[in-house]
Amino acid sequence: MSGLVEEGVLTLGCGDLDAMPLMGLLRPDGTRPGYEPDAAALVAERMGLALRWVPLEWSAFYPTLHAGTVDGIWCGQGITEYRRTLADFTRPYAVFNESLVTRIESDVSSPEECAGLRIGAIANSTNMALTETFPGVIPVAFDGATDDVYGDMIAATRSGEIDGFVDDDVVMIVLDADPELRLAFTVETRNQWGIAVRHGEDELRGRLDEALGAIIADGSLEAVWTRHMPDLPWPLG
């Protein structure tokens, strides 16, 4: 198959993030827990390929993809017009809304109450695009220059460097139980997530789309979703 950096292997880039239920840290045997890794394993199996993860800093995703080191980026990539300039995307394997997390003492409960607040989000993300719509907000971009941009935003919120951060609603499930943080509100944005591949790799993208279609049709992807995120309704039925 064209597009594979290693014959017989689907090589995917992602941050080595502890962001369950979406993804967990890379294990010594090269596997990872979470919805995204389990979904990727289903796709690789359907394609008849082994699966290999390459840990990357968030800011290195697309340079590494363009360099041909990985076949694709499978790591919470909401499909945006900006990202379409960097890569082609498969059909979605997930759809999420977006939430704001603040410190526990904050009483913010709507975008209109964010005026004057420093709110973080990953640079050039759907989360940053949403943050920039909040009236009077001061957006703070996190460029993903470390291994764990998600952890960086949590730490910055705890320390008071920022007043909160916007991310997809699924990662907020665990944080809402944190005694120092609170889920302030959720905006129903219905962002589609897909696998990023190099521009022009139409055969590989087609095979990925075919595999995704098959595991959606047979219910196996929904089963993985329900196992990891039972409180979120299956969005691709």
Side-chain angles (χ1 to χ4, degrees):
M1 185 196 309
S2 68
L4 293 179
V5 299
E6 182 180 346
E7 190 64 29
V9 179
L10 181 61
T11 304
L12 298 174
C14 187
D16 194 15
L17 305 173
D18 184 11
M20 292 295 283
L22 280 175
M23 66 194 76
L25 298 174
L26 196 65
R27 297 165 173 146
D29 65 358
T31 63
R32 309 173 65 209
Y35 171 71
E36 290 202 317
D38 284 356
L42 286 176
V43 165
E45 181 181 19
R46 177 69 63 159
M47 296 172 71
L49 301 172
L51 177 60
R52 180 168 69 93
W53 291 101
V54 175
L56 301 170
E57 294 177 358
W58 194 277
S59 59
F61 283 0
Y62 292 96
T64 302
L65 179 66
H66 298 157
T69 306
V70 297
D71 300 316
I73 301 297
W74 192 324
C75 198
Q77 296 301 284
I79 302 171
T80 66
E81 290 307 309
Y82 170 73
R83 285 181 178 147
R84 287 188 187 277
T85 70
L86 304 177
D88 291 333
F89 284 86
T90 63
R91 64 183 295 172
Y93 62 85
V95 179
F96 292 112
N97 296 316
E98 296 169 84
S99 299
L100 172 70
V101 163
T102 63
R103 289 185 298 280
I104 192 67
E105 64 269 18
S106 170
D107 59 0
V108 169
S109 61
S110 71
E112 292 71 27
E113 296 174 353
C114 292
L117 299 184
R118 292 173 55 81
I119 303 298
I122 295 173
N124 298 313
S125 66
T126 56
N127 306 140
M128 178 53 75
L130 176 64
T131 299
E132 290 170 343
T133 69
F134 296 168
V137 76
I138 304 170
V140 179
F142 285 72
D143 62 8
T146 70
D147 289 337
D148 187 3
V149 64
Y150 176 63
D152 293 342
M153 292 190 295
I154 294 173
T157 301
R158 291 186 193 278
S159 70
E161 178 184 344
I162 59 177
D163 297 296
F165 67 95
V166 172
D167 209 319
D168 298 278
D169 58 353
V170 59
V171 300
M172 305 305 182
I173 296 172
V174 175
L175 286 184
D176 195 35
D178 189 299
E180 296 181 39
L181 303 174
R182 63 181 283 267
L183 175 59
F185 59 83
T186 296
V187 180
E188 190 168 340
T189 49
R190 302 286 295 170
N191 290 328
Q192 298 182 340
W193 289 16
I195 311 161
V197 300
R198 284 181 293 282
H199 288 307
E201 291 287 0
D202 296 336
E203 181 182 347
L204 175 58
R205 182 167 54 85
R207 288 287 304 278
L208 289 165
D209 276 340
E210 181 182 358
L212 283 168
I215 63 174
I216 291 170
D218 70 11
S220 56
L221 187 58
E222 181 179 1
V224 168
W225 175 284
T226 302
R227 184 168 71 249
H228 287 289
M229 298 172 289
D231 294 329
L232 292 182
W234 169 241
L236 298 174

